[in-house]
């Protein structure tokens, strides 16, 4: 906490991580710890730390496990992901892409999602290439291309984190 008082946003971010981790492991104090994590992530986010912007966005979208959804704020999440993405944060690019992907009724959103997934994947975020592979096989996407889908999904199978999802997508619908 002393480092945070000296204006170190990374210190506030690390304190937030501690509280978030406790929230996952302590059912009795889960929401209390998530709220404390959010408080510390917010301090780092206000100093412009992209990793904290992603965490604040995740909190506002209620992504954290068993989180209370009282503070759900999709607009606030979008703004935080957008700031993180502009800073080149790979997870921020991915999360912003997911938000565009889910808002299919707006023209150009799937194309924007594909662009963000590609940028995130190029920075090493393997979930992004899995999402991009899935998007290429979506007939609603103007870039629909099963060969591209296969390429990105096969690439994603090389990583333990995304291997199962990518393999499942490769075997679905004739891939």
């Amino acid at each position: 906490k002393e480092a945070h008082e000296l204006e170190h946003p990374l210190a506030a971010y690390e304190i937030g991580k501690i509280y978030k981790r406790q929230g996952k492991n302590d059912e009795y104090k889960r929401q209390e710890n998530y709220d404390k994590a959010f408080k510390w992530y917010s301090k780092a986010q206000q100093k412009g730390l992209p990793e904290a912007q992603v965490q604040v966005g995740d909190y506002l979208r209620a992504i954290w496990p068993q989180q209370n959804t009282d503070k759900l704020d999709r607009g606030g999440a979008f703004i935080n992901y957008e700031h993180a993405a502009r800073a080149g944060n790979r997870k921020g690019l991915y999360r912003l892409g997911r938000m565009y992907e889910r808002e299919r009724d707006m023209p150009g959103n799937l194309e924007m999602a594909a662009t963000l997934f590609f940028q995130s994947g190029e920075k090493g975020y393997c979930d992004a290439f899995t999402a991009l592979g899935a998007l290429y096989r979506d007939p609603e996407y103007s870039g629909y291309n099963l060969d591209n889908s296969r390429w990105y999904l096969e690439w994603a199978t090389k990583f333990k984190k995304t291997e199962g999802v990518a393999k499942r997508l490769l075997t679905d619908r004739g891939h």
Side-chain angles (χ1 to χ4, degrees), residues 2-147:
E2 291 174 15
H4 163 69
E5 291 167 3
L6 295 172
E7 303 295 318
H8 293 287
L10 195 53
Y13 176 78
E14 291 298 325
I15 293 169
K17 278 175 52 176
I18 291 167
Y19 280 116
K20 182 179 175 188
R21 195 172 309 118
Q22 288 175 348
K24 287 181 180 177
N25 299 328
D26 183 354
E27 290 197 31
Y28 178 71
K29 291 187 168 189
R30 177 171 285 140
Q31 192 59 46
E32 178 184 330
N33 287 332
Y34 281 163
D35 289 344
K36 287 179 182 177
F38 176 70
K39 172 187 150 193
W40 286 100
Y41 283 140
S42 294
K43 290 179 182 198
Q45 173 254 6
Q46 291 166 3
K47 300 286 184 188
L49 188 68
E51 294 84 355
Q53 292 166 334
V54 170
Q55 290 298 325
V56 168
D58 286 354
Y59 183 87
L60 294 174
R61 276 187 62 210
I63 288 179
W64 297 353
Q66 290 84 41
Q67 176 192 343
N68 186 338
T69 58
D70 290 348
K71 295 181 176 83
L72 189 63
D73 177 4
R74 290 180 52 80
F78 183 90
I79 290 167
N80 277 281
Y81 293 149
E82 189 173 45
H83 285 296
R86 284 188 183 154
N89 180 277
R90 64 190 191 163
K91 199 168 187 179
L93 288 160
Y94 171 75
R95 292 278 202 253
L96 187 59
R98 280 292 191 198
M99 290 194 80
Y100 274 105
E101 179 187 32
R102 288 187 171 96
E103 298 296 326
R104 292 170 174 260
D105 55 338
M106 298 295 293
N109 278 4
L110 292 179
E111 289 72 20
M112 178 58 83
T115 298
L116 293 164
F117 290 154
F118 181 78
Q119 291 172 354
S120 176
E122 279 199 317
K123 291 179 177 291
Y125 198 66
C126 54
D127 288 354
F129 278 160
T130 303
L132 187 56
L135 188 57
Y136 270 115
R137 59 188 284 161
D138 184 340
E140 291 182 33
Y141 173 49
S142 66
Y144 175 79
N145 183 314
L146 293 178
D147 290 334

Side-chain angles (χ1 to χ4, degrees), residues 159-172:
F159 299 89
K160 187 173 183 114
K161 181 179 180 195
T162 55
E163 177 183 23
V165 172
K167 281 184 178 178
R168 190 183 77 240
L169 288 170
L170 280 167
T171 59
D172 284 353

